[in-house]
Amino acid sequence: MKKLLSVIGISALLASGLAACSGSENSSSSANPNAEPAKAGSPTEISVLIGKSEIISQFEEMVEHYNTSQDQVNVSIISLGNQNAFDKMTTLYASNNAPTITMMGSEYESMHDKLLDLSDQPWVPHVMKGSLDYVTDGSQIKGMPVSVEAFGLMYNKKVLDQASGGDFDPASVKTQNQLKSLMDNITSSGAAEGAIHISPMDWSLGAHYTNIFFTDQSSDRDQRHKFLDDLKKGTVNLSENKVFSGWMNTLDLMKAYNINKSSPLSPVYDDGPTALATGQVGLWFMGNWAYPQIQELDPEGQYGFLPVPISNNAEDYGNSQISVGVPSYWVVDAEQSSTDQQKAAKEFLNWMISSEDGQDYYVNKLNFLSVFDNFTAEPADSLSQSVLSYMKSGNTLEWMNTYYPADAFPAMGTSMQKYLADKINKSELVKEFEAYWIKKGSN
């Protein structure tokens, strides 16, 4: 991922268009022979499991457009409901109702043997270097990258301008003390009702916020991955780890200024974009996937990202960077779908990234940052521009949570929810974290 991000340039990310792909896909020999064939003259039915509830309405709009634009394929959407993505996938496969297409992240490690080889697809040569490494299985490529995503402290510039008494400079926050000063200014100036909104979902706390104490261990990829392996071996004492302690101190700082600190587990996801877009808070720890909802509430607003500083040394690794990567992939089922369904799935995926309408939805409605080097549609919103500025300067952190076991973020997220609600203290959180990773290492 480090190599991937080091080669990303604006011109490579946003260049000329991907040529329309032909409909003559090769049929897969791995198709389920028992799958029910489509009736003559009727469209092929395929389903898509979306792991992002925050874009579901925009995705539904795109699918409706696609369905009405042709009569060969009909796409339906499967929602997660109250399950996490891994549990939903497991349930659907067990009931012989596997989605034709799935948006998949860390679940890939457990599911890769059920997926279709996509290495013959026309988009493969146009994908950014390194972004297919995670889904490469021998000579096969089993996933199409969804988008570049980023997370950190998202800010509402209007609020921060008022709090700082001028044109807010995001480069002014690189230490914990500077972050504290900013949050003090937000509350004391009356620019907002509170400084920061913390979303208590397990995926935000357990996957995204924990990512920071892993990535900030070292600027060297091998060293930070060794730290993850050592945690599994039980040779790491988190309470004595400098980066982890700094990470906890920043979490405590965020807790102290949380607008919902009296009831920290009560907010739902939708409270976050509302709080930031309406100026109730100046900061929200979240990712750029939230922008579609923010844009609906505040279409003229200006937004950007701040890093999450874990010390008072501005030069420490991580204090000037935000997490940027390719966390999820479109994959196609090879176990329970028919040859026609697999062909239709590939046609739909290619339509999303090759057609003018598909690219427009992809960039301007779903607010995805393209991973293809010849995309025509360019993101114009301020949040995407903020992400691109970090990418252009090389100030990016790896998405190490991609390498977590599938149950890691629910497990760590649950522990962090208890800490956020003062049900456990720091030493108890450390014990729960260490116990989880040692157990995974022994499996």
Side-chain angles (χ1 to χ4, degrees), residues 317-368:
Y317 183 70
N319 283 358
S320 298
Q321 292 85 15
I322 65 171
S323 300
V324 179
V326 179
S328 55
Y329 296 80
W330 299 113
V331 301
V332 178
D333 170 61
E335 191 174 81
Q336 298 179 15
S337 57
S338 69
T339 301
D340 285 343
Q341 288 174 318
Q342 292 172 7
K343 179 176 181 291
K346 290 187 282 188
E347 289 174 352
F348 174 63
L349 293 179
N350 278 300
W351 175 85
M352 280 199 296
I353 61 167
S354 66
S355 71
E356 183 177 348
D357 287 349
Q359 286 192 15
D360 181 54
Y361 277 104
Y362 216 69
V363 171
N364 297 316
K365 297 294 181 66
L366 300 175
N367 285 96
F368 286 159

Side-chain angles (χ1 to χ4, degrees), residues 19-296:
C21 35
S22 76
S24 58
E25 305 286 357
N26 293 326
S27 296
S28 169
S29 59
S30 61
N32 178 10
N34 298 317
E36 184 177 348
K39 296 179 181 179
S42 62
T44 302
E45 298 286 340
I46 65 172
S47 58
V48 183
L49 176 61
I50 301 295
K52 289 182 173 296
S53 59
E54 64 272 15
I55 62 163
I56 193 69
S57 62
Q58 291 84 359
F59 197 83
E60 287 173 345
E61 182 183 343
M62 181 182 70
V63 164
E64 182 179 359
H65 176 85
Y66 179 73
N67 286 341
T68 57
S69 70
Q70 44 76 47
D71 58 6
Q72 300 300 305
V73 180
N74 186 69
V75 183
S76 61
I77 299 172
I78 302 173
S79 66
L80 288 179
N82 294 321
Q83 293 180 285
N84 63 49
F86 181 73
D87 289 344
K88 186 71 172 182
M89 293 174 204
T90 302
T91 299
L92 290 169
Y93 268 96
S95 62
N96 204 38
N97 290 307
T100 322
I101 299 172
T102 299
M103 180 187 284
M104 190 174 288
S106 59
E107 303 85 9
Y108 173 81
E109 290 294 333
S110 302
M111 298 283 184
H112 69 93
D113 59 339
K114 304 177 186 297
L115 306 177
L116 189 68
D117 179 19
L118 302 176
S119 58
D120 64 343
Q121 292 302 285
W123 47 261
V124 171
H126 300 287
V127 175
M128 291 186 302
K129 186 178 180 180
S131 63
L132 293 176
D133 292 352
Y134 184 68
V135 289
T136 297
D137 188 358
S139 62
Q140 299 184 345
I141 295 170
K142 293 189 172 180
M144 184 179 88
V146 175
S147 72
V148 172
E149 291 189 357
F151 59 84
L153 291 170
M154 195 184 305
Y155 66 85
N156 182 326
K157 189 174 185 299
K158 181 179 179 180
V159 174
L160 268 54
D161 283 350
Q162 184 178 342
S164 59
D167 186 19
F168 174 73
D169 179 8
S172 65
V173 179
K174 294 182 179 179
T175 68
Q176 289 173 330
N177 284 343
Q178 289 170 342
L179 178 61
K180 182 180 186 303
S181 177
L182 174 63
M183 293 196 288
D184 278 333
N185 289 340
I186 293 172
T187 53
S188 64
S189 66
E193 297 173 26
I196 187 170
H197 177 92
I198 301 176
S199 291
M201 294 80 65
D202 59 0
W203 54 265
S204 181
L205 297 171
H208 299 152
Y209 193 74
T210 60
N211 187 77
I212 296 166
F213 84 76
F214 282 101
T215 58
D216 287 8
Q217 293 294 327
S218 174
S219 60
D220 181 271
R221 183 190 185 280
D222 291 342
Q223 288 301 310
R224 54 183 182 261
H225 281 263
K226 181 179 183 299
F227 171 80
L228 190 154
D229 290 338
D230 288 345
L231 196 55
K232 290 180 181 179
K233 295 175 184 176
T235 59
V236 171
N237 185 338
L238 288 177
S239 62
E240 296 179 357
N241 182 269
K242 180 180 178 181
V243 170
F244 182 84
S245 296
W247 174 83
M248 286 295 301
N249 290 340
T250 300
L251 178 61
D252 288 340
L253 184 62
M254 291 164 60
K255 279 179 62 177
Y257 286 86
N258 183 12
I259 192 173
N260 297 300
K261 66 180 178 180
S262 62
S263 183
L265 302 186
S266 62
V268 296
Y269 174 80
D270 287 344
D271 294 330
T274 299
L276 190 68
T278 61
Q280 295 175 35
V281 297
L283 301 168
W284 178 30
F285 179 76
M286 193 47 62
N288 63 324
W289 53 83
Y291 187 70
Q293 289 167 289
I294 293 173
Q295 187 179 40
E296 287 181 3

